[in-house]
mmCIF file of all heavy atoms in Angstrom:
data_model
loop_
_atom_site.group_PDB
_atom_site.id
_atom_site.type_symbol
_atom_site.label_atom_id
_atom_site.label_comp_id
_atom_site.label_asym_id
_atom_site.label_seq_id
_atom_site.Cartn_x
_atom_site.Cartn_y
_atom_site.Cartn_z
ATOM 1 N N VAL D 807 -53.433 -97.974 -97.271
ATOM 2 C CA VAL D 807 -54.220 -98.372 -96.092
ATOM 3 C C VAL D 807 -54.462 -99.882 -96.105
ATOM 4 O O VAL D 807 -55.137 -100.388 -97.003
ATOM 5 C CB VAL D 807 -55.584 -97.640 -96.101
ATOM 6 C CG1 VAL D 807 -56.343 -97.925 -94.809
ATOM 7 C CG2 VAL D 807 -55.412 -96.150 -96.323
ATOM 8 N N PRO D 808 -53.895 -100.638 -95.144
ATOM 9 C CA PRO D 808 -54.166 -102.091 -95.107
ATOM 10 C C PRO D 808 -55.615 -102.321 -94.675
ATOM 11 O O PRO D 808 -56.028 -101.800 -93.635
ATOM 12 C CB PRO D 808 -53.192 -102.607 -94.056
ATOM 13 C CG PRO D 808 -52.840 -101.449 -93.203
ATOM 14 C CD PRO D 808 -53.075 -100.195 -94.016
ATOM 15 N N VAL D 811 -61.065 -99.939 -97.721
ATOM 16 C CA VAL D 811 -61.421 -98.514 -97.770
ATOM 17 C C VAL D 811 -62.711 -98.409 -98.577
ATOM 18 O O VAL D 811 -62.819 -99.003 -99.652
ATOM 19 C CB VAL D 811 -60.297 -97.705 -98.442
ATOM 20 C CG1 VAL D 811 -60.784 -96.330 -98.875
ATOM 21 C CG2 VAL D 811 -59.097 -97.573 -97.514
ATOM 22 N N PHE D 969 -59.748 -87.368 -95.717
ATOM 23 C CA PHE D 969 -59.708 -88.839 -95.796
ATOM 24 C C PHE D 969 -58.573 -89.384 -94.920
ATOM 25 O O PHE D 969 -58.770 -90.267 -94.096
ATOM 26 C CB PHE D 969 -59.494 -89.280 -97.248
ATOM 27 C CG PHE D 969 -59.109 -90.721 -97.419
ATOM 28 C CD1 PHE D 969 -60.063 -91.722 -97.351
ATOM 29 C CD2 PHE D 969 -57.772 -91.079 -97.652
ATOM 30 C CE1 PHE D 969 -59.700 -93.060 -97.498
ATOM 31 C CE2 PHE D 969 -57.406 -92.405 -97.794
ATOM 32 C CZ PHE D 969 -58.378 -93.399 -97.719
ATOM 33 N N ALA D 972 -59.114 -89.229 -91.244
ATOM 34 C CA ALA D 972 -60.024 -90.295 -90.784
ATOM 35 C C ALA D 972 -59.299 -91.643 -90.701
ATOM 36 O O ALA D 972 -59.713 -92.530 -89.966
ATOM 37 C CB ALA D 972 -61.207 -90.398 -91.744
ATOM 38 N N CYS D 973 -58.187 -91.775 -91.434
ATOM 39 C CA CYS D 973 -57.392 -93.013 -91.386
ATOM 40 C C CYS D 973 -56.325 -92.952 -90.291
ATOM 41 O O CYS D 973 -55.493 -93.862 -90.178
ATOM 42 C CB CYS D 973 -56.688 -93.245 -92.714
ATOM 43 S SG CYS D 973 -57.787 -93.516 -94.096
ATOM 44 N N GLY D 974 -56.314 -91.817 -89.535
ATOM 45 C CA GLY D 974 -55.355 -91.717 -88.425
ATOM 46 C C GLY D 974 -54.093 -90.934 -88.750
ATOM 47 O O GLY D 974 -53.145 -90.915 -87.968
ATOM 48 N N GLU D 992 -48.643 -96.269 -89.276
ATOM 49 C CA GLU D 992 -49.632 -97.048 -90.027
ATOM 50 C C GLU D 992 -50.980 -96.325 -90.090
ATOM 51 O O GLU D 992 -51.279 -95.487 -89.235
ATOM 52 C CB GLU D 992 -49.838 -98.418 -89.355
ATOM 53 C CG GLU D 992 -50.523 -99.392 -90.318
ATOM 54 C CD GLU D 992 -50.672 -100.795 -89.718
ATOM 55 O OE1 GLU D 992 -51.132 -100.881 -88.573
ATOM 56 O OE2 GLU D 992 -50.311 -101.759 -90.427
ATOM 57 N N LEU D 993 -51.765 -96.645 -91.110
ATOM 58 C CA LEU D 993 -53.093 -96.059 -91.261
ATOM 59 C C LEU D 993 -54.154 -97.138 -91.032
ATOM 60 O O LEU D 993 -53.856 -98.330 -91.183
ATOM 61 C CB LEU D 993 -53.244 -95.479 -92.677
ATOM 62 C CG LEU D 993 -52.266 -94.366 -93.034
ATOM 63 C CD1 LEU D 993 -52.317 -94.076 -94.537
ATOM 64 C CD2 LEU D 993 -52.573 -93.104 -92.236
ATOM 65 N N SER D 994 -55.363 -96.724 -90.692
ATOM 66 C CA SER D 994 -56.423 -97.734 -90.557
ATOM 67 C C SER D 994 -57.565 -97.393 -91.516
ATOM 68 O O SER D 994 -57.779 -96.221 -91.846
ATOM 69 C CB SER D 994 -56.927 -97.772 -89.114
ATOM 70 O OG SER D 994 -57.087 -96.454 -88.661
ATOM 71 N N PRO D 995 -58.300 -98.422 -91.977
ATOM 72 C CA PRO D 995 -59.313 -98.205 -93.012
ATOM 73 C C PRO D 995 -60.445 -97.289 -92.553
ATOM 74 O O PRO D 995 -60.685 -97.128 -91.349
ATOM 75 C CB PRO D 995 -59.859 -99.616 -93.291
ATOM 76 C CG PRO D 995 -58.981 -100.563 -92.589
ATOM 77 C CD PRO D 995 -58.205 -99.818 -91.558
ATOM 78 N N THR D 996 -61.134 -96.696 -93.527
ATOM 79 C CA THR D 996 -62.245 -95.797 -93.201
ATOM 80 C C THR D 996 -63.265 -95.811 -94.327
ATOM 81 O O THR D 996 -63.023 -96.395 -95.391
ATOM 82 C CB THR D 996 -61.730 -94.345 -92.984
ATOM 83 O OG1 THR D 996 -62.794 -93.536 -92.476
ATOM 84 C CG2 THR D 996 -61.252 -93.742 -94.304
#
Side-chain angles (χ1 to χ4, degrees):
V807 186
V811 163
F969 166 79
C973 296
E992 197 177 48
L993 299 168
S994 44
T996 189

